[in-house]
Amino acid sequence: AMATLTRVPAVLAERRHPAADSPNMVVRRATHDDVVQKLKQDQREQDARRVAQLKIRERGLSMKLTRVEYMLDGSRVIFYYTSESRVDFRELVRDLAAHFRTRIEMRQIGVRDEAKMLGGYGPCGRPLCCTTWLTSFEPVSIKMAKQQQLSLSPSRLSGMCGRLKCCLRYELPNGNGVKHAGCADNGNCSNPTGCGSCATGGGCGSCSHHS
């Protein structure tokens, strides 16, 4: 896979540093041929998405195609989709395999993963946390909004994914009872000024609906 490297705050860099056995490691800098191949891959993914959406409509399947990922070597095509129920896509896989002449893989994802893949901007005006720096989805409950005395209106508490906003965790009272400390650790942080991720520009605690 190809990606763009960006500079992040030191605290976030430590939190997001991949494990030694993780496949998410930088192998080398992309060459001109790599860039050309990536552009061709992007075009293949767009074509594959168009074909898959057509086949889904023809089969009348209740699924929403989110993203298509073409392996650089063309050995496999992964189709990410969301659905509220179980989908029998065996015939669809046969159609796609016959069209693309390669291995087809279907992966069902949740609405939060869909928002992370598609990206966007939250009501705070910043890019979605799940797209920019969050590495996992932590549990979020309506109790967190009540603790902060926020409006319980679904339209104000729901994120782009339609679920409770991840940032409801960011301003919970920390271990010393200090509110708005930017602690995303469900109130278990013992630092009176918060867990530190906000102070370094990690995006925590800056949502306008919390102020």
Side-chain angles (χ1 to χ4, degrees), residues 120-129 165 167 170 203 205-210:
Y121 288 83
C124 56
R126 293 173 176 265
L128 298 181
C129 295
K165 295 176 181 177
C167 55
Y170 299 164
S206 57
C207 295
S208 59
H209 59 280
H210 284 176

Side-chain angles (χ1 to χ4, degrees), residues 38-123:
K38 181 63 168 61
L39 293 175
K40 293 180 179 179
Q41 178 190 11
D42 292 342
Q43 184 60 51
R44 288 199 300 267
E45 289 176 349
Q46 293 179 15
D47 295 340
R49 180 182 178 87
R50 176 181 53 80
V51 172
Q53 288 178 327
L54 178 62
K55 298 294 184 181
I56 290 173
R57 285 195 295 268
E58 290 178 353
R59 294 286 179 182
L61 300 176
S62 58
M63 57 190 296
K64 178 184 176 184
L65 189 62
T66 301
R67 179 184 172 187
V68 178
E69 183 179 0
Y70 228 114
M71 298 294 101
L72 283 174
D73 58 3
S75 62
R76 180 176 50 170
V77 186
I78 305 175
F79 295 87
Y80 298 91
Y81 71 95
T82 59
S83 177
E84 296 182 357
S85 58
R86 184 179 180 277
V87 179
D88 184 357
F89 48 71
R90 288 174 293 183
E91 293 298 327
L92 174 64
V93 170
R94 293 191 184 98
D95 292 343
L96 296 176
H99 186 277
F100 296 108
R101 301 292 181 180
T102 188
R103 179 183 173 186
I104 303 298
E105 186 173 333
M106 307 294 294
R107 292 187 184 178
Q108 184 173 4
I109 60 175
V111 290
R112 284 188 169 185
D113 294 301
E114 180 185 31
K116 181 175 183 176
M117 285 185 175
L118 298 179
Y121 288 83

